[in-house]
Amino acid sequence: GDLIYGRRKFIEKAAIATTGAVVVGGAITATAYHLQQQKSVKKTDSPAISFRQSVEPHSPPEILEGSHKQPSNEDPLPEDRGDENTKNPDSKTAAEGYNLENFAKNIEGILKTSKGEWKIFIKEVSGNVLYEKNKDALLHPASSIKPLIALLIFRHLQKNNILLNSKIDSTQQSFLEALTLMLVESNEEATERLTKFLATQYNLRDLVSSFGLKRTSIEPRQSTSFELGTILDQSFIQKLELRSDFITFYYSLLTEAAKRNTNRLSCLFETTKNQQEFDIEIYKKPGTLLNPPLLVDTAIITVISKKTKERHFFVFCIHGTGNGANFVDLEKTTTSLAMQFYSDILQHTFR
């Protein structure tokens, strides 16, 4: 396993990233989203807000030697910024920029001819819902519950001023290594170790509820596509108020996880490789079961204009299972839905 995945090498790179020397993959986008000065944010009477900003790389705070400075209010969330200098009259909401009726019709067309039962939730980060289907229906999240476990661990470490390279228990495995194994390699042993650690410190149900999640649990694993999307949404815009070094590390792991999977939502990497208008970055944690067949993909998708460097952010959660579908059927449908999202939404983001 170490030879195939280069586990040790990636853990070293992730550790370097969190000290500010290197940022792994596309994690800088997620961190910059809530740390950098917002270049252009439009507030409207609509609940939909499009975030379009130019961001510059920065060095995150050190974590292994780490200061334990808590988040401050000096750089408020984008939706809290109301001064005229941050407004962009050229910004558009999703309703203005996309044909959502056509998008929904095309998605339903794919699902109608596909096997499986589907639960889907697609939205702008902190903005308009673009499509939803059975978003409140309970589902088995498989490995897509692991980002929540990581966020709960980060909050505990922050609350108690514990460093990432601290040991979890007598096994001598560090939080840094266990989190990397869990999110990048989907290692169940590391997941169980982190879950047991949380269970010794808290009531797990109360802990999950503290994130505002009413239908999600870690043991047993269950959630909804809406709440899986909410987890990604809130962590991305920093409503959880985690330290920037934790967020940088977190999204470096989700970036690596996305790059190791070339199908499903990750097919967008290949699709947009020669795109003239924009680049994309994907942060995701997929989940699968073979018996019964189950597939879930949860991701933050960032679209970056090549011309202006403006960015637009989407939450994409999709879950398919059962109803005569095998795993190949589920992967084929998920890829088709991702391509429809590319055609109807991504290609129109900066037009």
Side-chain angles (χ1 to χ4, degrees):
D2 286 354
L3 291 175
I4 295 174
Y5 291 110
R7 180 183 72 184
R8 204 166 289 172
K9 182 177 180 181
F10 178 75
I11 292 174
E12 290 172 358
K13 290 173 73 175
I16 293 171
T18 58
T19 66
V22 176
V23 176
V24 178
I28 188 65
T29 294
T31 309
Y33 179 87
H34 59 82
L35 283 181
Q36 292 295 94
Q37 177 71 25
Q38 306 302 310
K39 298 293 184 181
S40 55
V41 177
K42 179 184 178 182
K43 289 201 171 187
T44 70
D45 294 331
S46 164
I49 300 176
S50 269
F51 297 111
R52 298 166 179 279
Q53 66 245 27
S54 300
V55 294
E56 299 297 332
H58 75 291
S59 295
E62 291 188 355
I63 187 167
L64 299 181
E65 300 297 334
S67 69
H68 301 294
K69 183 179 179 181
Q70 299 299 308
S72 71
N73 293 321
E74 294 177 1
D75 190 25
L77 297 178
E79 60 265 41
D80 294 332
R81 303 181 69 96
D83 60 280
E84 291 298 320
N85 292 330
T86 63
K87 296 181 181 179
N88 179 3
D90 296 324
S91 292
K92 64 184 178 182
T93 65
E96 295 168 344
Y98 311 121
N99 187 335
L100 297 186
E101 182 178 349
N102 188 61
F103 179 49
K105 180 180 178 181
N106 290 335
I107 293 293
E108 292 295 340
I110 293 172
L111 296 180
K112 186 176 181 179
T113 59
S114 301
K115 297 179 180 179
E117 297 176 355
W118 296 90
K119 303 170 182 68
I120 304 172
F121 186 62
I122 307 171
K123 70 185 293 289
E124 293 181 297
V125 167
S126 201
N128 250 27
V129 174
L130 305 182
Y131 179 82
E132 60 183 44
K133 183 179 182 66
N134 301 323
K135 71 180 180 70
D136 295 317
L138 282 176
L139 55 80
H140 190 307
S143 290
S144 62
I145 199 69
K146 293 173 182 177
L148 173 61
I149 296 172
L151 292 170
L152 294 171
I153 288 290
F154 287 136
R155 191 166 73 168
H156 173 81
L157 298 181
Q158 178 170 300
K159 178 181 177 182
N160 295 280
N161 290 336
I162 300 173
L163 298 178
L164 263 178
N165 60 353
S166 300
K167 306 303 181 184
I168 302 173
D169 51 30
S170 58
T171 64
Q172 298 301 301
Q173 188 174 65
S174 69
F175 288 102
L176 185 149
E177 183 175 16
L179 287 164
T180 302
L181 291 171
M182 179 178 71
L183 291 181
V184 178
E185 298 184 21
S186 215
N187 183 283
E188 288 298 330
E189 184 179 343
T191 304
E192 183 179 358
R193 180 168 293 122
L194 291 169
T195 301
K196 284 185 175 180
F197 173 81
L198 288 172
T200 64
Q201 306 292 321
Y202 308 95
N203 178 296
L204 287 180
R205 187 169 296 278
D206 291 343
L207 189 61
V208 171
S209 297
S210 71
F211 272 23
L213 305 171
K214 298 179 179 179
R215 310 197 70 193
T216 297
S217 68
I218 297 174
E219 291 182 342
R221 291 184 189 180
Q222 73 172 31
S223 190
T224 67
S225 61
F226 171 75
E227 292 200 349
L228 289 175
T230 298
I231 294 166
L232 293 176
D233 199 351
Q234 291 190 355
S235 65
F236 200 77
I237 63 175
Q238 258 300 59
K239 283 192 174 180
L240 306 181
E241 297 185 338
L242 294 173
R243 282 182 5 212
S244 62
D245 46 1
F246 287 162
I247 289 293
T248 299
F249 180 55
Y250 174 68
Y251 278 103
S252 72
L253 298 181
L254 295 185
T255 298
E256 183 70 12
K259 290 180 177 179
R260 292 191 177 194
N261 174 237
T262 58
N263 51 14
R264 296 173 238 161
L265 292 183
S266 293
C267 72
L268 295 173
F269 282 128
E270 185 66 26
T271 302
T272 60
K273 186 163 56 177
N274 297 318
Q275 235 281 346
Q276 299 299 311
E277 295 184 13
F278 60 83
D279 292 316
I280 68 166
E281 293 171 354
I282 302 177
Y283 317 97
K284 77 166 190 172
K285 185 68 192 85
T288 57
L289 293 176
L290 294 180
N291 190 21
L294 178 153
L295 183 152
V296 54
D297 236 358
T298 60
I300 293 283
I301 300 173
T302 302
V303 189
I304 308 148
S305 168
K306 290 184 176 180
K307 182 177 180 180
T308 66
K309 303 305 179 184
E310 294 175 342
R311 299 165 188 254
H312 202 76
F313 309 91
F314 301 93
V315 175
F316 197 118
C317 294
I318 182 169
H319 180 282
T321 188
N323 197 25
N326 58 35
F327 191 75
V328 174
D329 295 329
L330 298 177
E331 283 213 321
K332 181 179 178 181
T333 300
T334 302
T335 301
S336 295
L337 293 171
M339 293 304 298
Q340 197 65 56
F341 176 70
Y342 168 78
S343 298
D344 290 349
I345 302 298
L346 298 188
Q347 284 193 312
H348 298 274
T349 299
F350 297 109
R351 293 180 182 176

